[in-house]
Amino acid sequence: MAISIPKVSVRRALWIILVAILALIVFRSTVYSVRYGTIGVVTRFGRIIGEPAEPGLHVKIPFVDKVLVYRTQKIIYETLSTEAFVNNESNADYLDHAVDTTTKDGQQISLRYSVRFSINPERVQEVAERLGTEWEVVEKIIKTDSRIWVRSLTRNYEALDLYSGNIEEVSLAIAEKLGPLFEENGIILDEFGIRSINLREEYVPTIE
């Protein structure tokens, strides 16, 4: 004997399921968590609201407030050869192509370097307002300024000086330029280092 289920009961069950789904969506849009090593900036209609959100559980207005997350941990930007860049041969957070430039005596060189930095948590709202997201911070400041000064300062050295071991001196000179520029934009420079300087193959035997 077949058992008939009243249509009212089915309709009621569907409504309960729908309400439960909507409640879950609203809950997930209201509560958010900030992970350790990061800090959150809440925006409402494009305007920053309140103080930065520390790691932990927080609430916001659902469907209205948005949260920008910035890492306060060390972040690494690194330049690589074309082959290494394509093959993603690095654990750095942001990868880029090596910088090509010329030395004081007109020799073409390719530099690979690393920049380790962090966003100042006390100035994260300023960073959000002036620069944007973490990716935009890298594009506008880390990438732009480091590539400019790497090209500029290495032109003060001859190829022989660079090849014979003045890399540390050049790295220090570049770091001294980048430090104040980063600080001005709410970024802390932890370390800058040139990993390698490659000269044209035909020029190396001449130096050696």
Side-chain angles (χ1 to χ4, degrees), residues 11 24 39 94 119 183:
R11 190 178 297 118
L24 179 61
I39 193 167
Y94 295 91
I119 295 175
E183 174 62 26

Side-chain angles (χ1 to χ4, degrees), residues 29 32 39-53 59-70 124-130 132-133:
S29 298
Y32 69 97
I39 193 167
V41 175
V42 180
T43 65
R44 184 176 301 160
F45 302 118
R47 179 185 175 187
I48 293 177
I49 300 298
E51 295 297 321
V59 295
K60 61 183 180 66
I61 298 177
F63 314 114
V64 175
D65 292 349
K66 295 182 179 180
V67 183
L68 300 177
V69 177
Y70 296 85
V124 67
Q125 289 184 322
E126 177 187 343
V127 170
E129 290 177 346
R130 294 181 58 186
T133 63

Side-chain angles (χ1 to χ4, degrees), residues 33-40 53-56 69-73 134:
S33 63
V34 177
R35 189 168 176 259
Y36 66 88
T38 65
I39 193 167
E54 300 287 342
V69 177
Y70 296 85
R71 281 180 289 178
T72 54
Q73 299 171 327
E134 180 184 290

Side-chain angles (χ1 to χ4, degrees), residues 71-105:
R71 281 180 289 178
T72 54
Q73 299 171 327
K74 305 297 183 183
I75 304 169
I76 298 177
Y77 166 86
E78 190 169 278
T79 63
L80 307 168
S81 65
T82 300
E83 181 180 356
F85 179 83
V86 172
N87 295 329
N88 195 25
E89 298 177 5
S90 174
N91 293 321
D93 301 284
Y94 295 91
L95 303 180
D96 205 351
H97 293 282
V99 173
D100 296 324
T101 185
T102 56
T103 61
K104 187 176 181 179
D105 51 342

Side-chain angles (χ1 to χ4, degrees), residues 8-179:
V8 175
S9 298
V10 174
R11 190 178 297 118
R12 182 179 180 184
L14 290 176
W15 273 107
I16 292 174
I17 293 173
L18 179 60
V19 170
I21 292 174
L22 291 175
L24 179 61
I25 293 174
V26 172
F27 176 79
R28 296 189 64 178
S29 298
T30 302
V31 178
Y32 69 97
S33 63
V34 177
R35 189 168 176 259
Y36 66 88
T38 65
I39 193 167
V41 175
V42 180
T43 65
R44 184 176 301 160
F45 302 118
R47 179 185 175 187
I48 293 177
I49 300 298
E51 295 297 321
E54 300 287 342
L57 198 63
H58 304 271
V59 295
K60 61 183 180 66
I61 298 177
F63 314 114
V64 175
D65 292 349
K66 295 182 179 180
V67 183
L68 300 177
V69 177
Y70 296 85
R71 281 180 289 178
T72 54
Q73 299 171 327
K74 305 297 183 183
I75 304 169
I76 298 177
Y77 166 86
E78 190 169 278
T79 63
L80 307 168
S81 65
T82 300
E83 181 180 356
F85 179 83
V86 172
N87 295 329
N88 195 25
E89 298 177 5
S90 174
N91 293 321
D93 301 284
Y94 295 91
L95 303 180
D96 205 351
H97 293 282
V99 173
D100 296 324
T101 185
T102 56
T103 61
K104 187 176 181 179
D105 51 342
Q107 298 301 321
Q108 293 183 348
I109 59 174
S110 179
L111 293 97
R112 296 163 180 79
Y113 64 88
S114 299
V115 183
R116 189 169 66 216
F117 68 97
S118 59
I119 295 175
N120 189 339
E122 297 179 358
R123 298 177 61 187
V124 67
Q125 289 184 322
E126 177 187 343
V127 170
E129 290 177 346
R130 294 181 58 186
L131 301 173
T133 63
E134 180 184 290
W135 180 84
E136 290 176 307
V137 169
V138 173
E139 286 291 313
K140 296 176 181 179
I141 303 298
I142 311 301
K143 175 180 178 177
T144 301
D145 287 351
S146 67
R147 295 180 78 89
I148 286 175
W149 284 107
V150 164
R151 284 195 177 97
S152 177
L153 292 182
T154 50
R155 289 173 181 163
N156 296 330
Y157 297 82
E158 295 186 357
L160 177 60
D161 293 332
L162 296 174
Y163 189 80
S164 60
N166 272 349
I167 293 180
E168 186 175 347
E169 179 182 331
V170 180
S171 295
L172 180 60
I174 295 171
E176 289 177 348
K177 292 291 185 180
L178 294 179

